């Protein structure tokens, strides 16, 4: 294992270069893998029905 010290800009440039070296199909599959990983993040769901904004129009 090697440790490389680099700036954020250098790191971002290297990631971009590595990504652009991939074929279009590989880029698409990489994107799908990223979306799959994002869906695994824990998320809080708010189920509070009292916070809904309800407009009631009463017939006269």
């Amino acid at each position: 294992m090697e440790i490389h010290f680099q700036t954020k800009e250098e790191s971002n440039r290297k990631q971009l270069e590595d990504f652009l070296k991939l074929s279009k199909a590989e880029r698409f599959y990489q994107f799908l893998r990223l979306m799959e990983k994002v869906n695994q993040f824990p998320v809080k769901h708010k189920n509070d029905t009292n916070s809904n904004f309800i407009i009631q129009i009463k017939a006269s």
Side-chain angles (χ1 to χ4, degrees), residues 18-30:
D18 291 344
F19 181 74
L20 293 177
K21 287 179 186 176
L22 300 174
S23 70
K24 289 183 180 182
E26 290 172 323
R27 290 181 201 173
F28 178 70
Y29 288 127
Q30 193 70 14

Side-chain angles (χ1 to χ4, degrees), residues 30 32 35 39 44 51-52 57:
Q30 193 70 14
L32 293 179
M35 292 299 100
N39 284 333
K44 284 186 176 181
S51 64
N52 292 338
I57 301 174

Side-chain angles (χ1 to χ4, degrees), residues 3-20:
I3 298 175
H4 296 276
F5 295 97
Q6 56 193 8
T7 65
K8 184 176 180 179
E9 291 80 16
E10 291 170 337
S11 175
N12 289 341
R13 184 173 53 249
K14 175 79 168 108
Q15 287 178 12
L16 179 61
E17 288 172 3
D18 291 344
F19 181 74
L20 293 177

Side-chain angles (χ1 to χ4, degrees), residues 46-57:
K46 190 172 182 181
N47 292 329
D48 185 9
T49 57
N50 294 331
S51 64
N52 292 338
F53 182 74
I54 301 173
I55 299 175
Q56 293 180 343
I57 301 174

